[in-house]
Amino acid sequence: KAGVTQTPRYLIKTRGQQVTLSCSPISGHRSVSWYQQTPGQGLQFLFEYFSETQRNKGNFPGRFSGRQFSNSRSEMNVSTLELGDSALYLCASSLIGRDFFDGETQYFGPGTRLLVL
Amino acid sequence: DQQVKQNSPSLSVQEGRISILNCDYTNSMFDYFLWYKKYPAEGPTFLISISSIKDKNEDGRFTVFLNKSAKHLSLHIVPSQPGDSAVYFCAASHGWNQGGKLIFGQGTELSVKP
């Protein structure tokens, strides 16, 4: 079974631009979560989508948005890029994202490395 | 507010010895904990997990211990191998309604010397 895939793997943008990142979850997984990893802040939760609906959201400004399609693929968008948005953006998928207590696990993709100049 | 803390940014261990990675948390509502391993330029890889109703879970060389009263968990790797050198993250989740959200520690970089 193929793992979580993310495209593109690397991206360079300039301040003020906007960017769209894509994530394809493991087949059959319906929950997709996004995280931002920076050296200073570690991995921080951005948002989670399930059945095309945002179900949970972290503490990020409205410039960060996302969506999920009927095939569970997800995109995240960052508008008006700032230097501080330079980070590794990770996507993770799980079956339904609500049964961690019963052993469900989140599986991560390789990430998209975004550099904002 | 750092709800999950890994206070040791790095750890160096000799091959064959035990590696112990520690994690503390502040939120008593957390009911599930996971450990991930991350190599550079790759996404985190799931290692092992434990629910709050248990105090120990083993999987091969990896054992996770949970001390709820101390709000502390640890990952033991025995014996340590050079291939275990990576950054290890502990993560926690709480409540059925916190769907899809894991709260991560800052990570501990483990170096296993041959």
Side-chain angles (χ1 to χ4, degrees):
Chain A
K1 185 185 274 191
V4 179
T5 58
Q6 292 187 246
T7 55
R9 292 294 309 276
Y10 303 94
L11 208 48
I12 299 176
K13 292 285 188 179
T14 55
R15 279 182 300 173
Q17 287 187 309
Q18 68 107 25
V19 67
T20 299
L21 313 181
S22 181
C23 171
S24 292
I26 292 171
S27 177
H29 285 193
R30 296 167 61 193
S31 167
V32 175
S33 297
W34 288 88
Y35 294 85
Q36 181 196 65
Q37 185 187 14
T38 58
Q41 299 295 321
L43 275 105
Q44 292 192 293
F45 175 78
L46 280 155
F47 31 64
E48 185 249 2
Y49 285 86
F50 179 80
S51 290
E52 302 177 63
T53 301
Q54 187 182 88
R55 190 167 59 174
N56 209 343
K57 190 177 189 303
N59 297 322
F60 279 81
R63 299 185 297 107
F64 292 82
S65 63
R67 59 177 175 168
Q68 186 181 35
F69 302 94
S70 59
N71 61 358
S72 295
R73 191 177 69 85
S74 176
E75 289 180 347
M76 70 162 278
N77 185 277
V78 188
S79 63
T80 319
L81 283 165
E82 301 177 358
L83 295 179
D85 297 332
S86 295
L88 179 67
Y89 290 88
L90 291 159
C91 165
S93 77
S94 58
L95 278 170
I96 64 170
R98 284 200 168 183
D99 285 337
F100 291 134
F101 190 79
D102 291 331
E104 185 177 347
T105 300
Q106 268 187 2
Y107 297 91
F108 282 82
T112 294
R113 173 76 61 184
L114 172 65
L115 177 62
V116 182
L117 302 175
Chain B
D1 176 29
Q2 192 72 26
Q3 297 186 68
V4 178
K5 298 179 185 179
Q6 294 176 255
N7 292 317
S8 298
S10 62
L11 175 68
S12 184
V13 170
Q14 207 65 31
E15 181 179 6
R17 306 295 289 268
I18 184 172
S19 294
I20 300 176
L21 297 103
N22 294 303
C23 180
D24 297 298
Y25 61 96
T26 58
N27 192 334
S28 58
M29 295 295 291
F30 287 146
D31 57 11
Y32 194 65
F33 304 88
L34 306 89
W35 283 94
Y36 284 86
K37 170 181 173 180
K38 188 179 184 300
Y39 294 116
E42 293 183 14
T45 302
F46 170 73
L47 270 177
I48 191 169
S49 61
I50 188 167
S51 71
S52 58
I53 62 171
K54 297 182 177 180
D55 54 20
K56 178 181 174 181
N57 189 27
E58 286 181 84
D59 184 2
R61 297 186 297 115
F62 301 91
T63 303
V64 56
F65 295 92
L66 175 62
N67 183 334
K68 283 179 291 185
S69 60
K71 294 191 178 67
H72 177 83
L73 64 156
S74 60
L75 174 68
H76 292 210
I77 306 174
V78 184
S80 301
Q81 300 172 354
D84 296 330
S85 297
V87 178
Y88 289 77
F89 292 95
C90 68
S93 74
H94 65 87
W96 193 78
N97 289 327
Q98 291 290 315
K101 178 179 181 178
L102 292 177
I103 298 169
F104 282 83
Q106 296 287 80
T108 296
E109 183 170 11
L110 173 66
S111 176
V112 181
K113 308 290 187 186

